[in-house]
Amino acid sequence: MTSRIVVVGSANLDIVVPVPHHPARGETVLGADHVQVPGGKGANQAVASARLGGDVAFVGCIGDDPAGGVLRASLTDSGVDVAALLTAADTPSGIALITVGPDGDNAIVVSPGANATLTPDDLASIESIRSANVVQLQLEIPIETTIAAAEAATGLVILDPAPAPTDGLPQRLLDAVDVLVPNETELALLAGRPVDADDIDDIVSAARSLGVDRVVVTLGRNGAVVVAEDTVTTVDSPQIDAVDTTGAGDAFRSALAVGLAAGTDLASAAQVASRVGAATALRFGAQPSLPTTAEVDERLQ
Ligand code: RIB
């Protein structure tokens, strides 16, 4: 039987402007023409997992507006089951305002819109969360809803702690998570102290302080560090000239999810995920850039 992955999270319409540099406080920057693409960490992870071969369902909420139609279509076009995708009346879909710099780095502001209306009660009747082999979560929907999904799951729970709260993660959520996947900035926020991203020992010690047995810290072009109960594994990243890093982290996390759902060990799944993330950063836009397994190899040749 095929393993089932359920993603509970956000869907946003990304409004993306390429810029020569990101605006500083009070600064106005002239960018290139804007592009609108489907995004949102939850929907990105659902689409990414499906394109990588996963059997995926998405649980989320969009607005009753044209943006909602774009977001729903992108999920269904990628083969994601949207039976549990809700539509909120008289509420805009989530949007993300994104600037992308010349090095492919981004800055993002999210207006949650309909994502903020997804409640624990909405999940109560969704059997697929309980029975999924892997549940992928992020933090762009109400935290109590994320906690409810994590606690309902009987399979493996993977949490992308983004955007990271400055006051740490609730203990109930930590208790229900099996694999935590922060980037270096989120690791420092969650650990409550600066972390030297060039110092593996410091990364490991911060990761072990978070209270989750398995932590995968993503380090962009420096790869990743897999911190498990008794082992630490460093993972290299292919060196690329990034076009747009938006969605690369989502693709990395989904490759982990697909690998773990298939029974791959965490360190091996992270090796694959590193390539998937790099291949994603070679294309523009969140969901348009998410690769199939064959496209990962083609783009990295
Ligand atoms: O992780 C990238 C995503 O973050 C974007 O697609 C944007 O919508 C925000 O959710």
Side-chain angles (χ1 to χ4, degrees):
M1 195 176 75
T2 313
S3 297
R4 195 85 209 288
I5 296 172
V6 173
V7 183
V8 184
S10 61
N12 300 323
L13 186 70
D14 291 354
I15 301 169
V16 191
V17 181
V19 290
H21 64 270
H22 300 288
R25 184 180 176 132
E27 183 186 9
T28 301
V29 171
L30 284 180
D33 289 348
H34 82 278
V35 180
Q36 297 190 14
V37 294
K41 294 185 195 308
N44 292 348
Q45 291 181 21
V47 167
S49 291
R51 289 194 188 155
L52 293 169
D55 171 19
V56 184
F58 179 65
V59 179
C61 190
I62 53 177
D64 186 13
D65 56 9
V70 171
L71 299 173
R72 180 182 288 276
S74 183
L75 288 156
T76 53
D77 288 352
S78 297
V80 175
D81 174 351
V82 292
L85 176 60
L86 305 176
T87 302
D90 303 322
T91 308
S93 291
I95 61 161
L97 305 177
I98 303 180
T99 51
V100 176
D103 294 336
D105 57 325
N106 63 36
I108 303 179
V109 175
V110 172
S111 169
N115 296 301
T117 71
L118 191 69
T119 68
D121 285 347
D122 291 326
L123 306 189
S125 60
I126 301 177
E127 165 62 20
S128 61
I129 298 172
R130 199 194 64 74
S131 60
N133 299 86
V134 174
V135 174
Q136 290 184 252
L137 303 171
Q138 323 76 32
L139 298 177
E140 285 186 340
I141 58 173
I143 190 81
E144 58 272 19
T145 308
T146 303
I147 294 171
E151 290 183 336
T154 59
L156 198 73
V157 176
I158 302 175
L159 176 65
D160 170 10
T166 49
D167 53 352
L169 293 173
Q171 191 59 47
R172 274 177 62 197
L173 184 55
L174 288 168
D175 288 347
V177 167
D178 298 292
V179 184
L180 186 66
V181 195
N183 65 21
E184 59 207 79
T185 308
E186 291 147 6
L187 176 65
L189 274 169
L190 297 178
R193 66 169 178 82
V195 177
D196 181 352
D198 294 323
D199 181 345
I200 296 290
D201 291 339
D202 199 31
I203 291 171
V204 172
S205 124
R208 291 216 197 278
S209 75
L210 301 181
V212 176
D213 286 344
R214 289 183 281 173
V215 180
V216 181
V217 182
T218 61
L219 301 170
R221 63 188 298 110
N222 293 325
V225 182
V226 181
V227 183
E229 288 91 338
D230 305 318
T231 57
V232 172
T233 310
T234 56
V235 174
D236 290 335
S237 170
Q239 296 304 296
I240 56 157
D241 290 325
V243 171
D244 178 5
T245 54
T246 312
D250 297 319
F252 181 103
R253 286 154 182 81
S254 289
L256 273 188
V258 170
L260 293 173
T264 308
D265 68 88
L266 186 59
S268 302
Q271 307 273 1
V272 174
S274 185
R275 287 178 59 77
V276 172
T280 303
L282 286 170
R283 295 290 185 274
F284 186 84
Q287 286 172 37
S289 71
L290 298 170
T292 63
T293 302
E295 286 168 341
V296 172
D297 293 331
E298 280 165 27
R299 292 182 196 176
L300 294 177
Q301 265 174 8

